[in-house]
Amino acid sequence: MLKIVHKRYKEHFPEILRKASEHMDLVFGLELKQVQPNSHSYNLVCKSDDTGDGSLSSAWRFPIKGILMPLLGVIFLHGNRASEEEVWQFLNILGIYDGKRHFMFGEPRKLITQYLVKEKYLEYRQVPNSDPPRFEFLWGPRAQAETTKMRVLEFLSKANDTVPSAFPSYYEEALRDEEERARAISPTKAGTTSKASTCSKATSRLNSHPE
């Protein structure tokens, strides 16, 4: 790496390396680890399962995470549905082109319209009443279950060296989404607690009246 960094920037190399490693971690879930203390040798390793129980889907690991999170972001930023044209315009900026095999993601159209759709991370559907037919992308049910608008907004913010509140309208929408999720979880927890309490009371009554 030092060989390809212009001598003008060699004194800034530690900061360049730090920023690059942060973005590789953020986008791809790759961690830069020093081989030995005080050495200039590093290895790129996949970060361990964030859930700790091995349940993390492969879609959130390298390399697919590198395309899934940006896709969820562009869908969110386009009003929770993005036209096929908007998605490909965005992917082109990342150097990913329709019909051109990518060195990391393979055939991109197959990945986003078949694999991620089959795995229910994306929905790919025809726009109603469109003639000629046009298609759009939405979040799939697994994306809605396994991540949130706030997490995606945090991802986009970090990628742009800012904070979620720098995007006021999207931040407010993400906060509303968090509140709705919390309200949806609360009745379930309350029902579980009530059921457990009822069972506990019934057990106590049985224990207090032995035969």
Side-chain angles (χ1 to χ4, degrees):
M1 287 186 286
L2 285 168
K3 290 180 180 178
I4 64 173
V5 175
H6 194 280
K7 61 181 180 180
R8 185 187 306 169
Y9 304 108
K10 283 190 183 298
E11 63 180 284
H12 303 294
F13 179 74
E15 177 65 14
I16 294 172
L17 184 63
R18 184 185 68 81
K19 296 292 288 185
S21 62
E22 284 179 359
H23 279 75
M24 284 189 290
D25 183 359
L26 172 68
V27 178
F28 298 112
L30 292 176
E31 187 175 2
L32 192 67
K33 285 193 171 182
Q34 199 168 21
V35 175
Q36 292 181 343
N38 303 317
S39 73
H40 294 293
S41 298
Y42 298 85
N43 283 334
L44 275 175
V45 297
C46 290
K47 292 187 72 175
S48 60
D49 187 343
D50 292 338
T51 63
D53 59 6
S55 64
L56 192 67
S57 164
S58 61
W60 302 113
R61 298 193 183 100
F62 177 80
I64 297 177
K65 180 185 177 183
I67 195 171
L68 178 57
M69 283 297 278
L71 280 174
L72 295 177
V74 75
I75 292 169
F76 176 36
L77 298 181
H78 281 87
N80 300 306
R81 63 186 66 225
S83 69
E84 187 167 11
E85 293 80 6
E86 290 168 336
V87 165
W88 283 112
Q89 285 174 6
F90 172 74
L91 291 177
N92 288 172
I93 295 172
L94 301 181
I96 303 171
Y97 302 94
D98 189 9
K100 185 176 180 181
R101 186 173 182 81
H102 191 270
F103 75 98
M104 188 178 295
F105 304 118
E107 171 47 54
R109 173 169 288 276
K110 183 177 180 181
L111 175 62
I112 68 175
T113 65
Q114 294 183 36
Y115 176 77
L116 290 176
V117 170
K118 180 182 178 182
E119 294 296 314
K120 301 187 183 301
Y121 286 103
L122 296 178
E123 284 189 27
Y124 177 62
R125 69 186 189 186
Q126 183 177 339
V127 177
N129 304 316
S130 59
D131 187 18
R134 292 182 294 107
F135 293 84
E136 63 183 2
F137 289 89
L138 296 84
W139 283 29
R142 283 190 71 179
Q144 294 178 28
E146 295 177 12
T147 192
T148 65
K149 292 178 179 179
M150 186 61 77
R151 287 179 190 166
V152 170
L153 187 59
E154 288 171 351
F155 167 85
L156 295 172
S157 301
K158 288 178 181 178
N160 288 280
D161 294 318
T162 185
V163 293
S165 57
F167 307 94
S169 61
Y170 300 115
Y171 184 60
E172 290 174 8
E173 182 177 347
L175 284 176
R176 288 196 298 271
D177 180 61
E178 295 287 300
E179 291 170 358
E180 290 171 4
R181 287 172 181 268
R183 283 198 296 270
I185 293 172
S186 295
T188 303
K189 285 186 175 179
T192 302
T193 303
S194 176
K195 185 176 180 180
S197 176
T198 302
C199 290
S200 177
K201 289 177 181 177
T203 302
S204 297
R205 285 197 294 270
L206 287 171
N207 290 336
S208 63
H209 295 84
E211 293 183 1

